[in-house]
Amino acid sequence: MERATSSGRRRRLLCAFVLVAAIGGSRAQAQSSGDNEPPVLSAVIGAGAGVASRLVHYPTASGLTRLATSAYPAIDMHLGAGVLLTRTVSVDAWALYRTSVGLHVSPPGLNDDDKSQVPLRADDVRIGAGPGIRVLPAPVALSLQLSAGWMFRGLRAVTVLAVPAYTLQGPLFRPELRAEFESGLLSLTIAPELLALFASGAARNGSGAAQPGIGAGGEVSLDLRVIEALHLVLSYRGSYARFVSAYPAHFIDVDHGDRKSTRLNSSHIT
């Protein structure tokens, strides 16, 4: 009798072990199938408008020329694309173009009685790419985007100014921290920027600017999701560039402004 009871217990234990192994195998297979899901591709296109201003210190052999604009209208366009490799890791690329609209300035050196204005164009182009990491999925979703790229920024006038046309360019490092609230209904993004800059045109030849220069700035934005594919964005940005000059004063370019924009998001699985 004891021998039969012991044999029955062994059979029940063996059945339980086989059942647990089968459940574990099915879970592992389901997890493996999830891990093998194709990457998700996403695309973003945005357009915005706002106000900006510009301040330039341009040193010359005869002294320092200062050009300061009042607030002027500006528009921009943003393009982005990304590949979600896993649930927490992505690779993203982006491009941004900003330009002034109807910007006019008084030429430096004129007296207050002279009201003449000349048209001026301010442009800013930035491109970058890098990995993204989702830090915390809930209740506040945090993500970190590390981007490296290149920037071009410049001024040019239709007529000759005491500050002639120039272009600044150089590598850009931009870490971006994003916090999403209420499942992405509202998002806050903070993105500092570091730049190593090279001047071309008159900024290099006339101002005695030593190469390279340095730059720093950043952007803070608030993103409100209207519907899944449509977002409204409010942002403020600032950027400071400085070159050591052969003259007593240094070459300085300060660019800042705020904007309102709309953004369209789309994604699909390859």
Side-chain angles (χ1 to χ4, degrees):
M1 178 67 71
E2 293 179 358
R3 185 175 300 174
T5 301
S6 177
S7 177
R9 288 177 179 174
R10 286 196 297 270
R11 283 196 297 272
R12 286 194 294 271
L13 289 174
L14 180 61
C15 290
F17 176 78
V18 171
L19 180 60
V20 170
I23 294 174
S26 63
R27 287 181 177 177
Q29 184 177 3
Q31 183 176 2
S32 177
S33 299
D35 293 341
N36 292 330
E37 289 181 356
V40 176
L41 302 181
S42 64
V44 176
I45 180 171
V51 295
S53 63
R54 200 67 172 265
L55 170 66
V56 179
H57 287 181
Y58 189 89
T60 65
S62 57
L64 177 66
T65 299
R66 184 178 184 270
L67 173 66
T69 72
S70 57
Y72 58 84
I75 59 174
D76 63 62
M77 177 171 286
H78 172 263
L79 300 175
V83 180
L84 187 63
L85 302 178
T86 69
R87 293 181 182 273
T88 59
V89 178
S90 65
V91 177
D92 302 277
W94 52 270
L96 174 66
Y97 172 69
R98 295 189 182 102
T99 187
S100 60
V101 178
L103 173 59
H104 290 75
V105 298
S106 298
L110 296 183
N111 57 48
D112 296 336
D113 296 331
D114 194 328
K115 304 299 183 182
S116 63
Q117 298 273 301
V118 296
L120 188 66
R121 174 74 70 178
D123 294 307
D124 190 346
V125 180
R126 296 160 188 255
I127 56 175
I133 302 173
R134 197 173 185 84
V135 180
L136 183 65
V140 178
L142 297 178
S143 60
L144 179 64
Q145 179 74 42
L146 300 177
S147 294
W150 203 267
M151 67 82 67
F152 300 86
R153 184 165 89 217
L155 286 173
R156 64 180 186 273
V158 176
T159 59
V160 177
L161 279 175
V163 176
Y166 65 87
T167 299
L168 308 181
Q169 62 173 301
L172 163 71
F173 177 64
R174 178 187 168 102
E176 182 177 293
L177 180 62
R178 181 181 179 91
E180 298 181 1
F181 304 91
E182 299 295 332
S183 300
L185 178 64
L186 186 67
S187 301
L188 175 66
T189 302
I190 301 174
E193 294 179 351
L194 296 175
L195 307 100
L197 296 172
F198 299 89
S200 60
R204 178 173 184 176
N205 300 328
S207 68
Q211 308 288 318
I214 58 173
E219 185 171 3
V220 178
S221 62
L222 192 64
D223 185 315
L224 176 63
R225 185 182 67 205
V226 180
I227 58 176
E228 186 62 33
L230 179 63
H231 294 239
L232 296 179
V233 182
L234 300 176
S235 66
Y236 176 82
R237 62 180 177 82
S239 183
Y240 173 89
R242 178 178 181 271
F243 288 82
V244 175
S245 172
Y247 305 118
H250 299 312
F251 180 92
I252 295 175
D253 184 309
V254 181
D255 179 24
H256 62 86
D258 55 55
R259 69 183 181 115
K260 304 173 183 65
S261 66
T262 57
R263 194 181 71 197
L264 296 177
N265 295 353
S266 67
S267 64
H268 67 276
I269 299 178
T270 57

